[in-house]
Amino acid sequence: MLSLFGMMAMLSGCQKAEEEASHSQYTEDAKHLVVITRNDSSTYFIDENGAPGGFEFELVTKYAKSIGKTVKWKLVNQVSEVVPLLKAGKADMAALGISNRFATNANIPLGPIYKRVTPVVVYHRSNLKPIKKIKDLVGHDVKIEYGSGAASDLEALSKNIPNLKWTLSDQDSPEELIEAVANQALDVTIANEVLAKHMKRFYPDLEIGPSLGANEPVTWLFAEHREVLVQSANSFIVGAQKDGSVKRLMDRYYGHLDRLQPADVTKFLQQRVEVLPKLRPFFHEAQKLTGIDWRLLAAVGYQESHWNPLAVSPAGVRGLMMLTEQTAAIMGVKNRTDARQNILGGAKYIRRLVESLPLQIVEPDRNWIALAAYNTGLGHLEDARVLADRQKMNPDAWIDLKGTLVQLRNPKWFTKVKHGYARGGETVIFVENIRTYYDILSKFEQPLVEVFPPKMGIELPASQGGHKSTITPNRLTAPT
């Protein structure tokens, strides 16, 4: 019996040691990094082409690649699931864009801080009086996400504000809570300011109220025995901040949120219902011809003319996509006031611009830079790229070209490039507005099954710095 108990104890000890060893080597020797996340627009999502996207997806994927691993994603519906999964060793880390105060309270290892968010009050303008101060929340139904750092802020504020009450929800994501406010099913929620601005584009009646306090640091969460991962993650984020990778991702997903006023969005949503249905078949046809997402083409058309086929500029640019007479002739448009012809001509021209860009410019920057050329011409675009290169910026990144395009209106800069002065600031606004209109259409309009158009080989107008493209068309995916 003593011998049997001894053997059992020894086996139990060995099993425990093996479990601890497997936990400590769970990722160090594995090919995959198991990452917990959730499905929403700011972390991880699958687009209409079946491709994953999201700020957290891209940043984590870059990190995994830097340590020679691929990512296995583990989706959760509730934030409360995260800590038990990490403590059980069922994943290596979690990336949910969540406050590090949640992780501190949960007593699990923290990764590096890679961004900061400001918690703000979100309410519906027609449902509540303006909320100017936190004390104005008293008497209202306030619900926030479980795990939000705002809970700690409210707890501290409630000591000086009697009857300040709120509830925590583990069933709703921050986006769902904001949508509940937009639909007037909930009085108030508290969310990070970036997400609130993102949602306000779709629901212009939302109001963003006061902040709860200082910016909250956002970090990744790690399972125990992942010290090597924590160290490598810290090194990666330091490098990604230094080389601009984090900044470019922030611009890709959030850089265009402040361009439009609520009145602009309200009008756009109204036009989407009243005008777009008549034009939708033409935009669908344009996607089948060029492979460019019809919703992006529709966003261009709205920015150019508010979907008015009879629009005309003082310079004689005409039609829904605002084509010059020369461009229209080359694109086969005989009547610029004919909506179908103008849309197809504009779409083919955008396609040619996309094909004319250097191959090293990748999506989604490729689309934004092509649209900049649509507005200002390839010549001025190349000048902006030259300026970016001279200033040791990235000439293939839209975030850097936004700065050098603006410089083209300054004699200090435009006198040093080939094509001279340009209204580059207007070009930046043009593209950023289109990005916002495209985001709205992507939320409310169904995608069209993507096609692979033939190479068109259309020569660009010389006035636009054009040349016959020799670049084989890439598969054009919807920009993020």
Side-chain angles (χ1 to χ4, degrees):
M1 289 288 289
L2 288 173
S3 177
L4 179 61
F5 282 131
M7 290 179 63
M8 291 176 64
M10 183 174 65
L11 288 171
S12 177
C14 289
Q15 183 177 2
K16 183 177 180 181
E18 287 176 1
E19 289 177 354
E20 290 179 351
S22 70
H23 274 210
S24 65
Q25 297 178 5
Y26 184 71
T27 54
E28 292 175 42
D29 298 333
K31 296 180 180 178
H32 305 293
L33 191 68
V34 182
V35 182
I36 300 170
T37 192
R38 58 183 169 187
N39 193 193
D40 64 32
S41 64
S42 60
T43 52
Y44 177 96
F45 60 86
I46 302 296
D47 67 18
E48 61 272 12
N49 299 305
F55 180 90
E56 298 294 339
F57 165 79
E58 294 207 36
L59 192 61
V60 171
T61 301
K62 287 177 181 290
Y63 162 59
K65 184 178 180 180
S66 74
I67 58 173
K69 297 181 184 295
T70 56
V71 182
K72 281 190 175 181
W73 297 96
K74 185 184 289 290
L75 296 180
V76 297
N77 295 319
Q78 301 172 353
V79 177
S80 59
E81 300 176 54
V82 174
V83 173
L85 286 171
L86 288 175
K87 289 193 171 182
K90 298 294 181 66
D92 298 314
M93 57 180 283
L96 300 97
I98 202 165
S99 167
N100 73 342
R101 286 190 285 179
F102 167 75
T104 302
N105 296 335
N107 194 29
I108 55 177
L110 297 177
I113 295 170
Y114 53 91
K115 65 178 178 178
R116 294 179 181 271
V117 297
T118 303
V120 295
V121 172
V122 182
Y123 63 99
H124 195 284
R125 68 171 62 180
S126 65
N127 194 39
L128 297 176
K129 293 180 180 179
I131 296 177
K132 302 296 186 183
K133 299 179 180 179
I134 300 300
K135 67 179 182 180
D136 296 335
L137 294 176
V138 174
H140 293 299
D141 179 18
V142 181
K143 186 181 290 186
I144 61 177
E145 180 196 23
Y146 172 86
S148 169
S152 300
D153 291 326
L154 289 173
E155 188 70 41
L157 291 166
S158 66
K159 295 177 181 178
N160 298 317
I161 305 176
N163 301 318
L164 178 61
K165 300 184 184 301
W166 65 93
T167 58
L168 298 176
S169 173
D170 193 29
Q171 304 298 318
D172 304 295
S173 70
E175 282 189 17
E176 291 170 326
L177 290 172
I178 293 176
E179 285 187 334
V181 173
N183 296 325
Q184 301 185 44
L186 174 65
D187 287 352
V188 179
T189 189
I190 295 168
N192 81 69
E193 187 176 23
V194 172
L195 178 60
K197 288 180 177 180
H198 169 77
M199 297 297 288
K200 188 175 173 66
R201 293 175 303 163
F202 311 131
Y203 304 103
D205 287 332
L206 288 172
E207 289 288 350
I208 298 176
S211 166
L212 265 68
N215 292 347
E216 291 185 4
V218 176
T219 185
W220 293 333
L221 318 179
F222 286 85
E224 295 180 353
H225 309 297
R226 304 297 191 275
E227 292 82 3
V228 172
L229 284 181
V230 174
Q231 292 173 7
S232 63
N234 275 288
S235 298
F236 167 77
I237 292 298
V238 169
Q241 289 173 333
K242 185 177 295 185
D243 68 19
S245 295
V246 173
K247 183 180 178 182
R248 284 192 291 273
L249 280 180
M250 291 293 291
D251 178 77
R252 177 174 298 181
Y253 287 97
Y254 313 122
H256 55 298
L257 298 185
D258 294 321
R259 290 291 175 181
L260 296 178
Q261 298 300 314
D264 300 320
V265 176
T266 299
K267 183 178 180 181
F268 178 67
L269 291 171
Q270 182 180 355
Q271 294 285 81
R272 171 188 160 260
V273 174
E274 296 176 357
V275 179
L276 183 58
K278 305 170 192 174
L279 302 172
R280 193 180 287 114
F282 304 147
F283 286 119
H284 283 185
E285 185 179 355
Q287 177 178 329
K288 292 175 182 177
L289 177 66
T290 65
I292 301 174
D293 190 327
W294 77 269
R295 297 167 299 182
L296 178 60
L297 297 173
V300 175
Y302 187 84
Q303 172 63 26
E304 286 284 26
S305 68
H306 285 199
W307 294 327
N308 177 10
L310 303 179
V312 60
S313 78
V317 184
R318 187 180 296 273
L320 194 144
M321 302 289 279
M322 296 299 279
L323 303 179
T324 66
E325 187 174 358
Q326 182 184 17
T327 300
I330 293 176
M331 297 300 142
V333 178
K334 296 181 179 179
N335 181 2
R336 286 186 287 166
T337 62
D338 181 279
R340 176 180 174 274
Q341 288 187 44
N342 201 286
I343 289 171
L344 295 182
K348 288 191 292 184
Y349 183 49
I350 293 171
R351 176 73 192 205
R352 290 291 89 192
L353 290 169
V354 172
E355 290 179 347
S356 298
L357 296 177
L359 284 173
Q360 69 267 20
I361 301 176
V362 298
E363 297 292 1
D365 297 64
R366 194 173 186 85
N367 274 330
W368 310 141
I369 294 172
L371 291 178
Y374 187 87
N375 179 260
T376 195
L378 280 169
H380 290 308
L381 175 68
E382 186 58 29
D383 285 347
R385 297 184 70 242
V386 168
L387 289 177
D389 187 60
R390 289 176 183 172
Q391 297 171 64
K392 300 190 184 306
M393 295 189 287
N394 185 355
D396 303 327
W398 173 240
I399 187 174
D400 288 339
L401 292 187
K402 284 196 292 187
T404 55
L405 278 165
V406 173
Q407 290 175 346
L408 292 177
R409 63 188 180 191
N410 187 332
K412 175 184 176 182
W413 299 103
F414 73 68
T415 56
K416 299 177 181 178
V417 290
K418 183 177 181 180
H419 299 89
Y421 172 85
R423 297 191 297 271
E426 293 181 15
T427 299
V428 173
I429 293 172
F430 174 84
V431 176
E432 298 296 86
N433 285 355
I434 290 171
R435 291 177 67 183
T436 298
Y437 292 136
Y438 174 76
D439 284 348
I440 296 171
L441 291 175
S442 295
K443 181 175 179 64
F444 294 116
E445 294 286 340
Q446 292 297 313
L448 188 67
V449 176
E450 194 175 344
V451 296
F452 296 86
K455 182 174 175 61
M456 290 179 286
I458 300 172
E459 189 172 345
L460 291 174
S463 63
Q464 297 293 320
H467 59 279
K468 191 169 183 178
S469 173
T470 58
I471 300 173
T472 302
N474 295 318
R475 180 176 185 263
L476 296 182
T477 57
T480 305

